[in-house]
Amino acid sequence: MAWQAGDTKVGFIGIGVMGKSMAGHLAKAGYPLHIYTRTAEKAQALVDEGAVWHDTPAKLAAACDVIVTMVGFPKDVEEIYLGEDGIIAHAREGAYLIDMTTSSPLLAQRIHEAARAKGQAALDAPVSGGDVGARNAALSIMVGADPEHYEQALPLLEVMGKNIVRQGGPGAGQHTKMCNQIAIASGMVGVCEALAYAESAGLDPKTVLSSIESGAAGSWSLTNLGVRIIDGDFEPGFYVKHFIKDMGIALESAREMGMDTPGLALAHSLYQRLAEQGYEDKGTQALFKIWRP
């Protein structure tokens, strides 16, 4: 049975840089919105617009047909889903659980099995597109799920994203996000190094960007984050600390498969150095400060 926006209660846990916009799109689409976040003030704007606040994930889960999570780290995902007071223990039979956090593929599989044992459907659906994609409801969403669960959830996912692809069964969405982060990691090193080179050569970085962003070097990071770098804007669309977390998951997953990832390892080491310099709460484009402190 298709979900009806006016009747299907959606819970959203994690009202951060991206989650706030994503939850807002669901509310505007007509889904009765229930929210929980550790910092209540972050949710106040949504509450003012009619969202229902819950003070624990368990209470939210019990009240909703669909629960969406967008939190920080795998340990947060594990606690929220698998803990005694977590979602799976308190969600109703038939509930859909959609984790959009970038997390561990193995953890996604564990959550799927635990949910299935309770008659619930779990999907891993990490996203790419940052704060801009979240604001514009244009996220790329990578889904790991059983086919029938994917089809049921697709209309809701389409409220938040544009490029939505089922990559396979449980965990496949997270593996795909690791591919995404590996590509971004080495790419950001190239973006920062290229702009630092332009400065060192006495060129105008904005003029350089206008030439190279539409050619073979073009990328989302170059076009969207290159401008922020040039303007000295290092505020987060995606946090350095979260990117380090993602790269750590990718490195661990690669090791489990017996695969060497030297480009990823280099980027990870550079971002760790950046965090040690005090920039862990800045955006990923702050990597430029390795070249220009």
Side-chain angles (χ1 to χ4, degrees), residues 119-161:
Q120 302 157 356
L123 300 80
D124 50 290
V127 304
S128 181
D131 58 334
V132 175
R135 278 199 307 272
N136 296 331
L139 293 168
S140 177
I141 305 177
M142 304 151 237
V143 186
D146 295 334
E148 64 274 19
H149 298 155
Y150 170 74
E151 293 298 332
Q152 178 74 13
L154 184 57
L156 186 144
L157 296 175
E158 288 174 336
V159 174
M160 298 178 282

Side-chain angles (χ1 to χ4, degrees), residues 35-37 53-60:
I35 51 177
Y36 165 80
T37 189
W53 164 260
H54 296 271
D55 59 6
T56 68
K59 291 177 182 177
L60 178 145

